[in-house]
Amino acid sequence: MITLTSAEENYLKAIYHLSDGGKKGVSTNDVSAEMKTKPASVSDMLRKLGEKDVIEYRKYYGLHITEEGKKLALQTIRKHRLWEVFLVEKLKFSWDEVNEVADELSHVKSKVLIQRLDEYLGFPKFDPHGDPIPDEYGDVRARPRQLLNELDLGSTGQIVAVKDSSPAFLRYLDKVGAYIGARIKVMDKTEFDGSVEILVDNKKSIFMSKDVAGNILVMV
Amino acid sequence: MITLTSAEENYLKAIYHLSDGGKKGVSTNDVSAEMKTKPASVSDMLRKLGEKDVIEYRKYYGLHITEEGKKLALQTIRKHRLWEVFLVEKLKFSWDEVNEVADELSHVKSKVLIQRLDEYLGFPKFDPHGDPIPDEYGDVRARPRQLLNELDLGSTGQIVAVKDSSPAFLRYLDKVGAYIGARIKVMDKTEFDGSVEILVDNKKSIFMSKDVAGNILVMV
DNA sequence: TTTATGATTTAGGGTAGGCTAAAAATAAAA
DNA sequence: TTTTATTTTTAGCCTACCCTAAATCATAAA
């Protein structure tokens, strides 16, 4: 059984994201930028991750994540996202506050803790940013998502994510009555400026500029 | 502002417990036994804790915890016990499983996390073992507690702790419908065998032998 | 094809927290 | 009081993870 330290887990998670799920190769400098550590430190870490067979590492030529590496990265991502759900849904953190704390929480080493947390949260499939939560075995059930401004007139869906999760944008959404999970229907589209009128939860009608709608991901 | 690493926090917490709240002196070997690390490692740590003024350390003569040290230890204890409450009440861990996991959770560095957790749990005053949870400032409001079998007929209170927290005893309590936090009233006492009849949460009446009642602490 | 540039790795060092083995201080026994 | 036993500390080493400075490799430009 491969075991990773917290730092190794963090690196592997970053590498997974940089690999875009497993295709592209990744350079030392890429990882250095992502992790905010010096390239020299990265080289050393890549050697270690290579020895543990979670990446395939060729000196001077970058790396590719392995199948085993993907599996472990997804397990780390799962833990991170479950804690994010907990922080936002139960402890009322806002979306932009959770990342750092969830990172620390996700390094607590207890399998049963994560199982119970998952159960307690009602087996959520998406985190507060709308990103899918892998299951225990690393399987991700990614549902098709579309930008709100690209939906056809009359189509319905559910808000599952935002691209811009800045506090200002979140405050705006809150103000107009939109939120992750809201069921929406496109009531009207104005062609010349791209703005849309949306019915939220079959109750409230709101107007959105193209810029705003283009930051909202909807599951159709 | 004094900041401690996770390891230093662990040592200080152990020292606080060994000091019995702050009176007795503590030896290197005491700490070594409690922490399950070698005396040589302890010496080194004591020097560091001494430099940070959380203990008063005299080589070869042991240590005394300082006021500052007590305050920090109580903050660590607070975090630990709040997480224990969370694990038992929300994630359905049993009392004998929580210690290790709560230890790891309690090292997550976020003040607001602990505040929100406290709020979410309803500002609990006692952990699942019945030990009091210090407030933000390290104040412990230890309320008077009595053994259930010593209560007078008709008196009311709340179960706050058990002396025997063996799985068997916990299972028994669970079965009869008693739990930490339950509001109880003494409905009847049988003098010759010391058994009692208790009304739990104004709903359910249960019988207890003297032995069982003598293991339950009640806040009156 | 040689050189310059930029990316990457190596070498060596720092901190934190463990360890063992040996030295030193204290306490107990003769 | 001297010797022995116990406790505690020091010295030196190890792993993990980070750093800077210097060396090395790959590649794009001349």
Side-chain angles (χ1 to χ4, degrees), chain B residues 148-149 151-155 185-191 193-199 205-209 213:
Chain B
L148 178 46
N149 66 318
L151 291 184
D152 292 328
L153 188 66
S155 55
K185 182 173 183 179
V186 180
M187 303 304 285
D188 195 15
K189 293 188 75 166
T190 308
E191 288 307 328
D193 67 353
S195 69
V196 290
E197 186 190 346
I198 305 291
L199 184 69
S205 189
I206 61 182
F207 288 89
M208 276 180 188
S209 71

Side-chain angles (χ1 to χ4, degrees), chain B residues 110-121:
Chain B
S110 166
K111 219 164 193 149
V112 62
L113 172 65
I114 294 302
Q115 287 167 353
R116 299 270 173 93
L117 181 66
D118 192 24
E119 188 184 340
Y120 179 59
L121 296 172

Side-chain angles (χ1 to χ4, degrees), chain B residues 80 84 87 95-104 129:
Chain B
H80 184 97
E84 283 194 341
L87 292 174
W95 305 349
D96 52 318
E97 294 176 324
V98 293
N99 202 58
E100 204 185 338
V101 177
D103 239 335
E104 284 194 68
H129 304 95

Side-chain angles (χ1 to χ4, degrees), chain A residues 142-159:
Chain A
R143 290 175 292 184
R145 301 188 294 181
Q146 256 182 290
L147 288 172
L148 180 46
N149 66 319
E150 289 168 351
L151 290 185
D152 292 328
L153 189 65
S155 55
T156 60
Q158 191 173 8
I159 298 180

Side-chain angles (χ1 to χ4, degrees), chain A residues 92 104 109 116 120, chain B residues 90 92 104 109 116 120:
Chain A
K92 307 301 173 201
E104 285 194 67
K109 306 238 169 315
R116 299 271 173 94
Y120 179 58
Chain B
K90 304 294 184 183
K92 307 302 173 201
E104 284 194 68
K109 304 230 167 321
R116 299 270 173 93
Y120 179 59

